Amino acid sequence: MMMTRLLEFEDISKSNGKVELDKYNEYAGINFIDTYHRKGLYPRDFPFVGGQEGGGVVASTTPKAEADGVKVGDRVAYSVFGSYAEYTAVPSGKLLPVPDEVGMDVATCLPVQSLTAHYLVTDAHAGLIKPGEWMLIHGVGGGTCQWAATMATLLGYRVIGTCSRGKESVARSLGCEELIVLDEMEGKSFEDYGSVDVVGRVMEITGGEGCKAVIDGIGLSTVDISIDR
């Protein structure tokens, strides 16, 4: 027996200070956190529209949005819930203008991952690391930490990255000063942090100094490594 669930479709109604993006949203970002919403790990009220990153053209505005300088036809990217849709209502303060020379596909992949990376590289360490000092970034083959590794390098930090063997070619394109490549877990695509003595390699690379900051988006497999590095 197959069970189906009926859906009821409604038009999006505008509310004060919100705008709607043009048809098809042009692009919607697909991020790992979306799987948490679908699985219920991060519960959402039902029914909900998935996605929280998109980009397109402003289709209509409210007086509040116009007062904020938003115009129909503006190219914008954003991060709010509901991007897996033709139109998304977005508070005007959440819109990021997209220059004509930047492709909308590139702009759409920026809000969630690159802004997270920017915060981690520039603010999360509270200034306890200075340019020229060592920073360890786990999982540089993944989305957010690709950005983080690139930004950290541009800011002058000496970056040691970790990655799985399957993502080594991507990781080597990021400019990390040193890269620790790990085997993959059997039958999986992610790193086996037990396959290499990461702490030992970090200490070897840094001459026993260790790293002043660690960006760790992995968690369970890396927390002890991050503390001991």
Side-chain angles (χ1 to χ4, degrees), residues 9 13 43 53 55 75 88 97-98 122 134 170 196 205:
F9 294 91
S13 60
E53 182 177 55
R75 302 175 74 239
T88 303
V98 179
T122 60
W134 290 100
V170 171
V196 174
I205 291 167

Side-chain angles (χ1 to χ4, degrees), residues 85-125:
E86 290 180 294
Y87 297 86
T88 303
V90 184
S92 54
K94 293 281 190 176
L95 295 175
L96 302 172
V98 179
D100 290 339
E101 62 271 21
V102 177
M104 191 59 71
D105 56 340
V106 174
T108 301
C109 76
L110 294 176
V112 173
Q113 294 184 356
S114 73
L115 291 181
T116 301
H118 185 269
Y119 162 73
L120 293 172
V121 169
T122 60
D123 294 309
H125 52 67

Side-chain angles (χ1 to χ4, degrees), residues 72-211:
V72 171
D74 285 351
R75 302 175 74 239
V76 294
Y78 65 88
S79 176
V80 301
F81 289 147
S83 64
Y84 293 176
E86 290 180 294
Y87 297 86
T88 303
V90 184
S92 54
K94 293 281 190 176
L95 295 175
L96 302 172
V98 179
D100 290 339
E101 62 271 21
V102 177
M104 191 59 71
D105 56 340
V106 174
T108 301
C109 76
L110 294 176
V112 173
Q113 294 184 356
S114 73
L115 291 181
T116 301
H118 185 269
Y119 162 73
L120 293 172
V121 169
T122 60
D123 294 309
H125 52 67
L128 298 177
I129 181 173
K130 306 297 181 186
E133 296 180 322
W134 290 100
M135 176 183 288
L136 175 63
I137 304 180
H138 290 299
V140 296
T144 298
C145 286
Q146 284 187 44
W147 288 107
T150 302
M151 292 177 187
T153 298
L154 290 173
L155 290 171
Y157 300 114
R158 303 184 70 181
V159 177
I160 302 172
T162 68
C163 72
S164 66
R165 197 165 299 282
K167 296 180 179 179
E168 181 178 358
S169 61
V170 171
R172 290 202 180 279
S173 71
L174 305 176
C176 298
E177 187 166 337
E178 296 285 346
L179 189 65
I180 300 173
V181 181
L182 302 115
D183 293 334
E184 295 168 344
M185 297 290 287
E186 187 174 352
K188 306 291 183 180
S189 61
F190 49 81
E191 301 93 334
D192 177 2
Y193 278 89
S195 66
V196 174
D197 179 5
V198 176
V199 174
R201 284 287 294 124
V202 167
M203 291 303 179
E204 178 185 345
I205 291 167
T206 63
E209 180 182 341
C211 295

